Amino acid sequence: VTLNDLRASKMSGNFFNVLFNMNKFIAFETRDPFLMRQEREEPHLTEWDRFARGEYLRLSLEEEQDDEMETGSDVWGTSGM
């Protein structure tokens, strides 16, 4: 492997992080691939916007489950006896 090969590679930054900056390399290795995809798909949203949307969805699902339990529905959707 030559220096020109490293320069031409898209992974050259990772190679040098392994050698010289272990913290950056560990941060790269432990990144969340779902979060990375979400950031690529919706670059206009901030981290706060993504968090707020996720929390809203989580809370609305919890509320739906609570409503179903209050109405007496069981797992199969039939009413309680």
Side-chain angles (χ1 to χ4, degrees):
V1 177
T2 66
L3 185 57
N4 287 335
D5 293 336
L6 289 174
R7 287 182 182 160
S9 172
K10 292 180 180 179
M11 301 297 285
S12 62
N14 295 333
F15 175 77
F16 288 110
N17 282 337
V18 168
L19 292 178
F20 303 114
N21 193 339
M22 188 58 87
N23 290 335
K24 279 189 177 180
F25 176 71
I26 290 173
F28 174 77
E29 285 296 311
T30 58
R31 71 192 188 283
D32 183 3
F34 298 109
L35 179 62
M36 300 295 286
R37 186 192 68 188
Q38 195 176 41
E39 288 174 353
R40 272 195 320 267
E41 290 175 353
E42 299 169 331
H44 60 281
L45 293 179
T46 64
E47 188 173 336
W48 172 254
D49 292 331
R50 288 185 202 94
F51 170 78
R53 182 178 59 188
E55 286 299 302
Y56 176 81
L57 290 172
R58 183 181 64 79
L59 290 172
S60 64
L61 287 174
E62 283 180 10
E63 187 174 326
E64 283 180 17
Q65 290 174 351
D66 289 345
D67 289 345
E68 287 176 3
M69 291 186 75
E70 287 175 5
T71 60
S73 295
D74 62 14
V75 177
W76 284 257
T78 60
S79 61
M81 292 185 205

